[in-house]
Amino acid sequence: LWDRKTIPYKRDFCFTLLIDLSGSMRGEKIRETFRAAILTAEVLSRVGLQMEVLGFQDELLEFKSFEETFSDEVRARIAGMPAEVEDKNPGGHNQSDWNDDGYCVQQAATRLAARPAKDRFLVVFSDGLPIPSSAHSGSQWDLGNILKKIEEKKEVRQIGLGLGSGTEHVKKFYRNNAVIPNVRDLPRAMRELFQNIIEHPDTY
């Protein structure tokens, strides 16, 4: 897949990459994650698949919309992720104390479900348990409950990726999941994941 300019058969895919930009992602985790995000976005755009790149703290942060092409401007925006987790991204949201997983996953899934596509995948990158802000601390934003409701609707398929050691929590929340103890392996893991999704979408 990574060497192709088109996919070998027609399938109606749509992808959202949703990336944890809380403070615990500082350092190597966010550096490897934004590189993997750029690589994946480049490939999906090249083969003509719908995709967006979002981050999350206490709110969703948009780095690439579905409507945008993968331009230098988009690349530069995604490259601001390391500064975002340091609260130093010029013009950014810069609220790295929070990772409101439940609220932001629900918002991302709603956006994705509205896209005209047969196979919609929400891929969530996380390195820790939710730390909700006061605005989204109610039981209605519990991540487990949110994911259960999304799965019941059968509009969006979710995949949780645990970044770094001690991230087995993704197995508790996400039916489809993978733990990547060494974040330097993330680009390879992403290549294998997306190739498997495109070749075997109905297994998710």
Side-chain angles (χ1 to χ4, degrees):
L1 172 66
W2 254 230
D3 296 326
R4 295 174 179 147
K5 292 186 179 178
T6 59
I7 53 176
Y9 50 87
K10 184 69 174 176
R11 187 92 185 206
D12 194 7
F13 290 101
C14 191
F15 296 96
T16 294
L17 308 185
L18 179 60
I19 299 168
D20 182 353
L21 295 178
S22 62
S24 61
M25 288 285 289
R26 291 171 185 167
E28 187 176 45
K29 286 182 182 179
I30 191 57
R31 288 196 299 270
E32 295 299 331
T33 300
F34 100 79
R35 288 171 183 163
I38 285 180
L39 170 65
T40 304
E42 291 254 21
V43 171
L44 296 179
S45 295
R46 190 173 70 224
V47 298
L49 298 179
Q50 299 183 71
M51 61 88 59
E52 68 174 352
V53 180
L54 306 175
F56 70 96
Q57 293 172 344
D58 60 329
E59 299 285 348
L60 283 184
L61 312 179
E62 186 177 272
F63 290 88
K64 180 196 175 297
S65 69
F66 286 111
E67 290 74 22
E68 289 179 299
T69 59
F70 201 71
S71 63
D72 289 341
E73 181 182 352
V74 170
R75 290 185 185 91
R77 208 179 298 148
I78 295 173
M81 287 182 178
E84 191 69 49
V85 302
E86 297 276 358
D87 293 337
K88 297 178 181 178
N89 191 19
H93 189 63
N94 299 312
Q95 296 292 326
S96 67
D97 286 344
W98 314 114
N99 55 325
D100 285 19
D101 296 52
Y103 171 77
C104 292
V105 165
Q106 192 271 339
Q107 295 296 304
T110 299
R111 288 166 61 115
L112 182 55
R115 299 300 299 179
K118 180 179 183 296
D119 297 294
R120 305 179 189 92
F121 287 86
L122 173 60
V123 183
V124 183
F125 301 72
S126 174
D127 80 324
L129 291 167
I131 304 175
S133 64
S134 58
H136 308 123
S137 60
S139 59
Q140 71 268 34
W141 302 121
D142 176 76
L143 178 59
N145 291 336
I146 293 289
L147 290 172
K148 183 178 180 181
K149 290 177 182 177
I150 293 171
E151 190 158 349
E152 287 172 350
K153 289 182 178 180
K154 298 183 178 180
E155 297 174 326
V156 171
R157 310 180 200 199
Q158 331 99 349
I159 302 170
L161 301 181
L163 306 179
S165 60
T167 58
E168 287 77 9
H169 66 279
V170 295
K171 297 178 181 179
K172 170 186 174 183
F173 291 111
Y174 297 89
R175 183 172 63 83
N176 300 302
N177 61 75
V179 175
I180 304 158
N182 186 342
V183 290
R184 293 183 182 180
D185 294 332
L186 184 57
R188 175 189 55 77
M190 290 290 288
R191 181 184 69 240
E192 294 173 355
L193 171 64
F194 276 85
Q195 183 155 350
N196 192 56
I197 288 173
I198 288 172
E199 292 178 354
H200 310 287
D202 294 329
T203 63
Y204 290 86

